[in-house]
């Protein structure tokens, strides 16, 4: 990448400080989603926004290899196979990893619903546990709906990252 | 309240997720997909046993434990079960053919997950008792089918897929609009609650006029999904573009979702409503909604039978012929509904009409499943379906040809095949009606039947008879694919010879349609439906 293509110092500095805040807000929205504004979908979209910022300012390699740690030697192998077999790139490359995330998210959401069936309740039934007298927090509310929200979160993150990676590669 | 209601849905959903997660393990992926198909069949059998355990159970399942009409309710009654049964058998057969014929990398990338999601959407549509939820399941089914239609992603497929996607997106937008409007006018989305409120519109402050208009809008959407004229444009292109097992599913099962929705909503839920006296149309004032819908359905059915039949007779391509035939046959399916709509739900003619529709829908599901799978097997090996390039297949592949023969004859309606009883019931409804609409229906059925004979004979004569040419000599379909197709054909023969149980099942489904009262009581609780009982019948 030549220096003329590189993003400015201003953008890089702003992104560096903004991304953690976005992620924090996203997680906050995810955790409170079951009874306040927020939830898995909006949390996921915000998270991907943070990733997209990194992607635009630092590039796809930085995002997938340094930030998400998707480098374990398989990437290097992939580079050579890419030319021969596009399918391999789709399954074992970055796109494959991203798209596995939404499968896992879906499994989590449905699994959370099936958990209720295991307790003899209807599919997707939810319950809440309250923990009183916790220092600093006071009352902590643990809702089973969080599992579903988490599933939605991963579906959104996984699918948007897949789209980002596929379209970015075009 | 029993969890078995959600079983087929959850099995297919689990299968879809399994297929998504196992994409890097092709053998396991195919195994899981097949397991999901078999599991779906078993879950369907269990569900059917539960529904028929007390003779006429309506099983209700409140998702997340939210009571109707506030939460989303799943309902399995005899009508849903018969359609889910059709789905289970046809989808399992098509799945096996997919595993054998779709190219390996295509199967790995997305085919199985999409296929299972399509089954999820179909099942959800058959089970849900909430019209907004029906929209959601339609979307699940359509999203998957969009990708499946353009699966081969050549220029032809992209063009047909574009047409399919645009028309169906338009349909979905209209459906959402109509459902939103129904929510605004009736104040509820639960089907049973809608029926309860429409039976006594004054008590709930509902103006029936707007409801009539909105339900009319909704009918257009279901007609689009069922591929009735004038909403048939997407059918030939999409059916030719999609991989053959997907076409078998689209024609055999996905179309039936539109038919099911028409039966469920218009002949059960909205059937309790009457047109208000106010307004200029004194002719229909005070009559039930069905009078209007019946007229609309009649026109659509007549046009479908004629246009589809004439279109099919003029095609020079086996797939195109079958696609047009499918338009025509859907006309046959809904025609008895138009006759039934001239009477009230308590009438015996009403029962006969709905019964004929259900029976014909099941027949069509099996017949089109077989025919499209055969044409797919031919295309896979010969490389074309143009009649000019075909000929003598019966000599080269006798079993496949036999299956096509059975499928074709059942479309025509030759005894003792399954299709004979369908045609018989459709004719009988028209004759029994003893009114103008009945005789129009009989006339259309006669013309349609002649057209059916014409195009089936043509397909048979051009593609299957004569000496095999050098292309056809390549035709050596995998034995297991041939066995599955032959199995479906045998089911058609068996259901024809042993028609009595099918008749009983369809009759039970018809009772479930007619008894809106029982449906409302089952969903909303025992004391909720007195209004309907005292109202219309």
């Amino acid at each position: 990448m030549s220096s003329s293509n590189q993003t400015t110092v201003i953008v890089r500095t702003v992104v560096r400080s903004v991304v953690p805040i976005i992620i924090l807000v996203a997680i906050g929205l995810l955790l409170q989603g079951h009874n306040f504004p927020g939830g898995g979908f909006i949390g996921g979209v915000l998270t991907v926004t943070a990733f997209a910022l990194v992607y635009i300012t630092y590039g796809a390699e930085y995002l997938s290899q340094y930030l998400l740690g998707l480098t374990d030697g398989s990437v290097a192998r992939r580079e050579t196979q890419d030319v021969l077999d596009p399918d391999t790139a789709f399954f074992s490359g970055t796109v494959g990893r991203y798209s596995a995330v939404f499968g896992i998210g879906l499994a989590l959401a449905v699994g959370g619903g099936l958990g209720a069936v295991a307790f003899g309740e209807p599919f997707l039934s939810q319950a809440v546990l309250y923990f009183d007298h916790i220092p600093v927090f006071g009352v902590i509310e643990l809702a089973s709906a969080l599992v579903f929200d988490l599933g939605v979160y991963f579906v959104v993150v996984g699918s948007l990252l897949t789209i980002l990676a596929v379209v970015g590669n075009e | 309240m029993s969890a078995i209601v959600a079983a087929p849905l959850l099995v297919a959903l689990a299968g879809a997720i399994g297929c998504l997660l196992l994409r890097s393990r092709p053998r396991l992926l195919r195994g899981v997909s097949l397991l999901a198909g078999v599991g779906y069949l078993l879950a369907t059998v269990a569900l059917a046993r539960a529904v028929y355990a007390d003779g006429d159970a309506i099983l209700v399942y409140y998702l997340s434990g939210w009571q109707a009409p506030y939460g989303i309710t799943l309902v399995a009654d005899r009508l849903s079960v018969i359609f889910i049964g059709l789905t289970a058998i046809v989808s399992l057969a098509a799945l096996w053919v997919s595993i054998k014929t779709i190219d390996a990398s295509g199967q790995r990338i997305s085919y199985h997950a999409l296929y299972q999601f399509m089954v999820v959407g179909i099942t959800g549509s058959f089970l849900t008792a909430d019209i907004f939820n029906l929209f959601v399941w339609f979307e699940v089914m359509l999203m998957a089918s969009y990708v499946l239609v353009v699966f081969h992603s050549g220029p032809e497929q992209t063009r047909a897929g574009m047409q399919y996607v645009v028309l169906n997106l338009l349909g979905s937008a209209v459906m959402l609009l109509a459902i939103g409007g129904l929510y605004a006018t009736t104040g509820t989305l639960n089907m049973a609650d809608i029926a309860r409120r429409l039976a006594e519109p004054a008590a709930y402050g509902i103006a029936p006029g707007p409801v009539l208009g909105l339900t009319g809008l909704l009918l257009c959407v279901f007609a689009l999904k069922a591929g009735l004229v004038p909403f048939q444009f997407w059918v030939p292109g999409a059916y030719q573009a999609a991989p053959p097992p997907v076409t078998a599913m689209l024609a055999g099962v996905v179309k039936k979702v539109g038919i099911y929705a028409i039966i469920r909503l218009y002949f059960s839920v909205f059937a309790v409503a009457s047109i208000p006296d106010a307004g200029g149309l004194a002719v229909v004032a005070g009559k039930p909604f069905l009078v209007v819908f019946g007229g609309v359905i009649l026109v659509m059915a007549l046009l479908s039978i004629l246009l589809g039949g004439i279109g099919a007779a003029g095609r020079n391509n086996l797939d195109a012929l079958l696609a047009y035939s499918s338009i025509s046959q859907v006309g046959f399916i809904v025609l008895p509904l138009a006759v039934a709509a001239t009477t009230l739900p308590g009438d015996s003619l009403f029962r006969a009409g709905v019964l004929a529709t259900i029976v014909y829908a099941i027949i069509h599901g099996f017949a089109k499943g077989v025919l499209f799978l055969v044409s797919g097997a031919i295309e896979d090996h010969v490389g074309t379906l143009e009649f000019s390039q075909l000929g003598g297949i019966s000599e080269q592949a006798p079993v496949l040809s036999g299956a096509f023969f059975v499928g074709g004859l059942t479309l025509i309606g030759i005894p003792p095949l399954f299709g004979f009883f369908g045609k018989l019931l459709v004719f009988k409804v028209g004759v029994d009606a003893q009114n103008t609409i009945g005789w129009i229906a009989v006339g259309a059925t006669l013309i349609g039947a002649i057209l059916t004979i014409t195009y089936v004979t043509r397909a048979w004569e051009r593609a299957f008879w004569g000496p095999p040419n050098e292309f056809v000599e390549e035709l050596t379909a995998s034995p297991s694919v041939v066995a599955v197709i032959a199995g479906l054909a045998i089911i058609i023969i068996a259901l024809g010879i042993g028609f009595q149980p099918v008749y009983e099942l369809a009759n039970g489904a018809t009772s479930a349609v007619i008894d809106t009262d029982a449906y409302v009581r089952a969903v909303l609780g025992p004391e909720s439906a007195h209004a309907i009982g005292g109202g219309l019948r």
Side-chain angles (χ1 to χ4, degrees):
Chain A
M1 197 185 284
S2 73
S3 62
S4 64
N5 277 342
Q6 229 160 12
T7 43
T8 63
V9 178
I10 302 174
V11 174
R12 296 161 80 89
T13 315
V14 169
V15 166
R16 202 178 279 268
S17 52
V18 156
V19 161
I21 301 174
I22 296 179
I23 301 271
L24 205 64
V25 173
I27 293 172
L29 283 175
L30 166 69
L31 292 181
Q32 67 170 20
H34 56 277
N35 60 352
F36 286 111
F41 181 80
I42 191 66
V45 172
L46 258 185
T47 309
V48 176
T49 316
F51 288 158
L53 277 176
V54 175
Y55 174 82
I56 292 164
T57 40
Y58 294 94
E61 296 287 290
Y62 183 86
L63 175 67
S64 61
Q65 291 181 24
Y66 297 100
L67 210 60
L68 300 178
L70 294 183
T71 170
D72 46 15
S74 70
V75 176
R77 273 209 310 281
R78 177 174 68 85
E79 299 301 335
T80 52
Q81 286 175 354
D82 253 359
V83 191
L84 300 171
D85 182 11
D87 292 344
T88 319
F90 192 79
F91 294 112
S92 59
T94 324
V95 177
R97 302 291 186 81
Y98 289 159
S99 60
V101 173
F102 71 71
I104 293 168
L106 208 53
L108 206 57
V110 174
L114 284 175
V117 178
F119 284 104
E121 297 291 321
F123 182 59
L124 286 176
S125 293
Q126 307 297 345
V128 192
L129 268 182
Y130 291 98
F131 295 100
D132 290 330
H133 310 298
I134 308 279
V136 186
F137 289 99
V139 181
I140 284 188
E141 187 189 339
L142 190 64
S144 63
L146 186 61
V147 178
F148 184 81
D149 263 343
L150 212 60
V152 174
Y153 178 84
F154 282 127
V155 170
V156 173
V157 170
S159 49
L160 286 180
L161 278 180
T162 309
I163 294 170
L164 208 63
V166 170
V167 176
N169 278 340
E170 295 281 306
Chain B
M1 176 123 159
S2 66
I4 191 74
V5 177
L9 191 63
L10 293 179
V11 167
L13 194 55
I17 294 169
C19 293
L20 259 184
L21 290 175
L22 290 171
R23 294 194 301 178
S24 52
R25 313 275 301 276
R27 289 177 67 91
L28 203 57
L29 167 67
R30 287 198 288 271
V32 166
S33 194
L34 201 60
L35 193 69
V38 175
Y40 186 86
L41 186 63
L42 295 178
T44 306
V45 171
L47 179 60
R49 285 175 62 97
V51 166
Y52 280 93
D54 325 328
D56 59 344
I58 298 174
L59 301 179
V60 181
Y61 191 66
Y62 303 109
L63 283 178
S64 340
W66 290 94
Q67 294 298 305
Y70 309 107
I72 292 169
T73 313
L74 298 183
V75 174
D77 63 1
R78 288 167 290 177
L79 180 66
S80 339
V81 161
I82 201 167
F83 279 97
I84 292 176
L86 171 74
T87 311
I89 297 172
V90 176
S91 74
L92 186 59
L95 180 63
W96 182 255
V97 177
S98 309
I99 288 175
K100 287 289 169 191
T101 58
I102 303 287
D103 63 291
S105 79
Q107 287 195 41
R108 278 185 77 186
I109 290 178
S110 56
Y111 186 87
H112 286 287
L114 288 167
Y115 189 89
Q116 296 294 346
F117 273 120
M118 187 165 78
V119 174
V120 170
I122 293 166
T123 316
S125 308
F126 288 147
L127 283 177
T128 187
D130 180 290
I131 48 171
F132 184 74
N133 197 229
L134 181 69
F135 168 77
V136 174
W137 291 126
F138 263 67
E139 283 305 292
V140 171
M141 174 179 88
L142 287 171
M143 290 289 167
S145 72
Y146 293 154
V147 189
L148 289 173
V149 164
V150 291
F151 201 74
H152 289 320
S153 49
E156 268 303 296
Q157 283 85 12
T158 313
R159 198 181 59 80
M162 200 62 197
Q163 217 173 27
Y164 180 66
V165 170
V166 169
L167 271 174
N168 275 298
L169 279 182
L170 206 66
S172 298
V174 170
M175 185 177 181
L176 192 59
L177 201 70
I179 289 173
L182 278 176
Y183 185 46
T185 44
T186 61
T188 182
L189 290 168
N190 187 287
M191 292 179 191
D193 204 23
I194 291 177
R196 176 173 70 170
R197 287 170 183 231
L198 284 181
E200 265 188 323
Y204 293 95
I206 297 169
V211 175
L212 178 64
L214 290 163
T215 49
L217 201 59
L218 201 56
L219 184 65
C220 297
V221 179
F222 296 140
L224 171 74
K225 311 292 176 195
L228 281 164
V229 176
F231 305 103
Q232 88 291 9
F233 305 105
W234 60 272
V235 175
Y239 282 15
Q240 280 178 266
V246 174
T247 312
M249 279 297 281
L250 287 179
V253 181
V254 173
K255 271 194 168 184
K256 305 304 172 299
V257 178
I259 304 290
Y260 166 83
I262 291 176
I263 297 175
R264 169 69 81 204
L265 286 175
Y266 294 85
F267 287 78
S268 186
V269 174
F270 302 145
V272 297
S274 343
I275 300 163
D277 291 327
L281 291 164
V283 191
V284 291
K287 298 263 179 63
F289 273 16
L290 276 177
V291 172
V292 176
F293 296 138
V296 176
I297 293 175
L298 180 70
V299 173
M300 290 196 293
L302 294 179
L303 289 176
S304 301
I305 291 175
L306 295 180
L307 285 182
I310 294 169
R315 292 307 110 176
N316 282 318
N317 177 300
L318 187 57
D319 247 5
L321 184 145
L322 291 176
Y324 275 93
S325 144
S326 176
I327 297 171
S328 169
Q329 296 297 322
V330 172
F332 276 113
I333 294 176
V334 296
L335 190 64
L337 286 182
V339 181
T342 56
T343 61
L344 289 176
D347 204 275
S348 67
L349 184 62
F350 188 93
R351 167 176 283 274
V354 175
L355 177 70
T357 294
I358 294 171
V359 169
Y360 210 105
I362 301 301
I363 291 167
H364 181 250
F366 282 115
K368 273 288 142 59
V370 167
L371 293 174
F372 275 113
L373 289 179
V374 172
S375 86
I378 296 169
E379 191 179 18
D380 276 343
H381 296 275
V382 183
T384 178
L385 287 169
E386 296 295 326
F387 286 144
S388 52
Q389 311 276 319
L390 295 176
I393 295 172
S394 60
E395 212 162 295
Q396 187 65 28
V399 181
L400 271 186
S401 308
F404 189 92
F405 191 65
V406 169
L409 286 190
T410 206
L411 277 191
I412 296 174
I414 303 285
L417 295 172
F418 197 11
F420 164 71
F421 296 98
K423 280 275 193 312
L424 179 71
L425 289 172
V426 173
F427 271 108
K428 192 167 175 304
V429 168
V431 174
D432 284 351
Q434 295 291 340
N435 56 24
T436 326
I437 291 179
W439 294 120
I440 292 174
V442 171
T445 322
L446 268 177
I447 298 171
I450 293 166
L451 285 170
T452 313
I453 296 172
T454 313
Y455 62 71
V456 170
T457 315
R458 196 172 129 81
W460 180 256
E461 186 247 338
R462 298 296 300 272
F464 292 88
W465 265 354
N469 61 26
E470 70 271 30
F471 305 110
V472 172
E473 275 169 5
E474 303 283 308
L475 182 60
T476 44
S478 125
S480 68
V481 169
V482 174
V484 164
I485 295 173
L488 273 184
I490 288 170
I491 290 179
I492 292 178
I493 300 173
L495 290 181
I497 293 171
F499 182 65
Q500 188 62 28
V502 183
Y503 183 84
E504 304 271 310
L505 287 180
N507 203 23
T510 312
S511 307
V513 174
I514 292 171
D515 203 349
T516 317
D517 198 20
Y519 182 76
V520 173
R521 259 186 283 119
V523 176
L524 296 175
E527 67 286 344
S528 56
H530 56 88
I532 295 178
L536 248 170
R537 58 196 87 97

